[in-house]
Amino acid sequence: MLSRHLIKHDAIVGYSLSSTVLRGYATAMKQMQGNDTASTPNDWENARPYSELQGPSKYEMIRGVLPGGVFYKKTFIEGMTGMAKKYGDVFRIPAIFGKPEMVLDFNPNDYPIIFRNEGIWPERRSFEAFIYYRKVHREDIFRGVTGLLTTTGEEWAKIRTAVNPVLMQPKNAKLYLNTLLEVNDEFLERIRHIRDPLTLEVPDDFQDDINRLTLESVVGIALNTRLGMIHNNRDNPESKIFLKEIRNLFELSEKIEIKPSIWKIIKTPKFHQLMKTLDTLTVLCNKYIDEALKQIVLDTEGKLTSEVDKEKSVLEKLLRIDRRIAVVMALDMIMAGVDTTSSTLTGILFCIAKNPEKQQKLFKELKNILPNKDSRLTIDNMQNLPYHIVETLHK
């Protein structure tokens, strides 16, 4: 496996690895094992051939997703975990129906090695149906600017370099504290409204509320706009459509992008459903973006439409760099930010709930800086939180 034996191959799909890069893998592995000596020609000579890397055949992949197959009605994680148990931490998925061959690595110790040796520009496996949507199906909207979700290599690097000062500076996260506190207040109000008065437990469908929390937060930061969909305006038909289509997006993407699909050969019903879902989300997102743009224009005329103590939206900041990139990045934040953030938050809450002693320690720390019910988080008192949630998860 990759973590123990270097695999000799001149192009592992997704990274376009050269023999020089693979030699770098061997050096990095030695360093991680406490050996700081320079690499030698033997690092490459001792590499195992790529042909030894195990994985399912094309027939096994197709049969596996059909009724009665090993992947049938299983999630992507369940399917991949099953293959890791069968083939080891590193295995390959064959090229099929126009999709390239892939190598999957389930050993976290390998990830730093891969990232440090992939070259100046990462070759990311993009969602090809998304690329089709933005470059072909709705080229009239995107006009060549496809954002970070659907780019790779040098094109990805150019966009990332342009937006990094706004999106990737850790200090920028603190700037949106007031916006997020406002969203969180509505979320707490929702919890008080739906929890059981005796057990104080929330309903089984609480995941829906978490999705609403993350979408409201992302829109607040990206556009400085409140949808009110957590509690105050949760029955808004537009909000319901948005959440429904977000869920459809990820369900259909798994069927089109992850599981074997012939959409590159024949446009399947699922493919057309995905295009329709993306159309609906794009229209809704662009409506929110257009409204935010109008507010920004009014602000420049001195109308003071921005709320007091609120940071300028990501959209407004990116407009100073490039208008087209600003609109697409705001769109990407809204469409891609809900499921990813919801999954992370759900995992954190689950881990805290499973470790009551850590939960109590975290509670005591928060109680010190928020002694009263009406106490508020501030940039200053947030500096006094030595016990972080990340630490909670690892202890």
Side-chain angles (χ1 to χ4, degrees):
M1 294 185 289
L2 184 61
S3 58
R4 299 173 188 164
H5 305 283
L6 192 61
I7 299 171
K8 184 187 294 185
H9 192 255
D10 61 350
I12 294 180
V13 174
Y15 291 98
S16 298
L17 300 178
S18 65
S19 59
T20 302
V21 171
L22 286 171
R23 287 193 186 97
Y25 277 11
T27 303
M29 286 176 197
K30 282 189 173 183
Q31 292 173 347
M32 289 182 68
Q33 295 166 358
N35 185 343
D36 295 327
T37 59
S39 62
T40 68
N42 287 334
D43 293 333
W44 178 244
E45 295 302 324
N46 292 332
R48 291 171 57 186
Y50 183 76
S51 59
E52 289 186 14
L53 193 60
Q54 298 186 76
S57 65
K58 294 182 179 181
Y59 170 78
E60 289 173 321
M61 285 296 298
I62 297 172
R63 179 66 188 90
V65 299
L66 297 176
V70 294
F71 308 127
Y72 185 62
K73 290 189 176 180
K74 287 188 177 179
T75 65
F76 171 71
I77 295 299
E78 290 171 337
M80 295 302 101
T81 301
M83 281 200 276
K85 291 180 180 178
K86 182 176 181 180
Y87 300 113
D89 285 344
V90 184
F91 57 92
R92 58 177 170 175
I93 303 294
I96 187 172
F97 298 140
K99 293 183 179 179
E101 185 173 68
M102 294 187 298
V103 173
L104 277 74
D105 190 337
F106 273 64
N107 187 347
N109 292 330
D110 294 337
Y111 303 162
I113 302 171
I114 295 172
F115 292 139
R116 288 171 183 153
N117 292 275
E118 64 182 349
I120 185 173
W121 296 309
E123 291 295 330
R124 305 158 64 241
R125 181 185 180 275
S126 301
F127 289 109
E128 296 177 88
F130 276 52
I131 296 175
Y132 180 91
Y133 176 78
R134 293 187 173 186
K135 290 190 175 182
V136 179
H137 185 73
R138 296 314 306 263
E139 192 276 337
D140 58 311
I141 293 178
F142 294 93
R143 300 186 181 279
V145 179
T146 54
L148 292 175
L149 287 180
T150 53
T151 53
T152 188
E154 186 174 2
E155 184 181 3
W156 174 90
K158 288 180 179 178
I159 299 176
R160 172 57 79 186
T161 300
V163 302
N164 267 358
V166 175
L167 296 181
M168 296 302 290
Q169 294 293 332
K171 63 180 181 180
N172 287 352
K174 299 177 181 179
L175 300 177
Y176 297 98
L177 178 62
N178 288 328
T179 297
L180 294 177
L181 286 177
E182 184 181 281
V183 174
N184 288 343
D185 285 344
E186 186 180 349
F187 186 60
L188 292 174
E189 181 183 354
R190 174 64 182 169
I191 291 176
R192 296 186 189 101
H193 180 75
I194 63 175
R195 68 186 179 183
D196 187 292
L198 297 178
T199 66
L200 300 182
E201 292 185 354
V202 293
D204 292 339
D205 62 353
F206 189 58
Q207 179 69 28
D208 176 72
D209 291 285
I210 292 179
N211 286 339
R212 289 171 179 268
L213 167 67
T214 54
L215 179 56
E216 189 80 21
S217 300
V218 170
V219 171
I221 293 173
L223 307 179
N224 196 12
T225 298
R226 288 300 312 278
L227 305 178
M229 65 187 307
I230 298 173
H231 185 66
N232 300 331
N233 195 29
R234 67 180 291 108
D235 293 326
N236 181 344
E238 202 169 79
S239 297
K240 291 183 176 180
I241 293 173
F242 203 113
L243 285 170
K244 176 186 174 183
E245 295 298 352
I246 283 287
R247 296 186 185 104
N248 288 340
L249 170 64
F250 286 96
E251 290 176 3
L252 291 168
S253 294
E254 180 177 358
K255 294 173 181 177
I256 294 295
E257 298 281 4
I258 306 301
K259 295 180 178 179
S261 172
I262 61 173
W263 74 266
K264 285 190 171 184
I265 303 170
I266 299 174
K267 299 299 183 282
T268 63
K270 294 294 183 186
F271 175 81
H272 288 299
Q273 289 178 33
L274 178 59
M275 295 297 107
K276 185 177 179 180
T277 288
L278 287 169
D279 276 337
T280 301
L281 288 172
T282 300
V283 169
L284 283 174
C285 288
N286 277 333
K287 176 186 175 182
Y288 299 144
I289 291 170
D290 287 342
E291 290 173 353
L293 288 172
K294 291 177 183 177
Q295 292 295 315
I296 292 171
V297 170
L298 289 174
D299 273 346
T300 61
E301 295 175 355
K303 302 293 184 179
L304 300 178
T305 54
S306 291
E307 298 179 53
V308 178
D309 296 327
K310 291 292 184 67
E311 182 67 14
K312 292 183 183 297
S313 67
V314 169
L315 175 66
E316 186 169 357
K317 292 179 179 180
L318 290 177
L319 282 173
R320 302 171 185 173
I321 300 172
D322 186 293
R323 182 184 177 86
R324 294 188 304 163
I325 290 179
V327 172
V328 173
M329 284 304 304
L331 182 64
D332 282 356
M333 286 182 67
I334 298 171
M335 292 178 64
V338 177
D339 188 75
T340 50
T341 309
S342 295
S343 298
T344 303
L345 179 57
T346 301
I348 290 172
L349 293 175
F350 176 77
C351 289
I352 293 175
K354 293 284 286 185
N355 295 274
E357 71 284 358
K358 303 299 190 297
Q359 182 179 157
Q360 186 62 26
K361 185 175 181 179
L362 187 62
F363 174 76
K364 287 182 178 179
E365 181 178 84
L366 291 171
K367 189 73 173 176
N368 287 334
I369 67 167
L370 304 172
N372 304 313
K373 285 188 176 181
D374 57 351
S375 298
R376 304 285 291 176
L377 278 174
T378 65
I379 296 299
D380 291 334
N381 64 27
M382 285 178 65
Q383 306 300 318
N384 302 312
L385 294 172
Y387 187 71
H388 296 96
I389 288 180
V390 173
E391 187 177 356
T392 302
L393 301 179
H394 286 87
K395 284 194 173 182

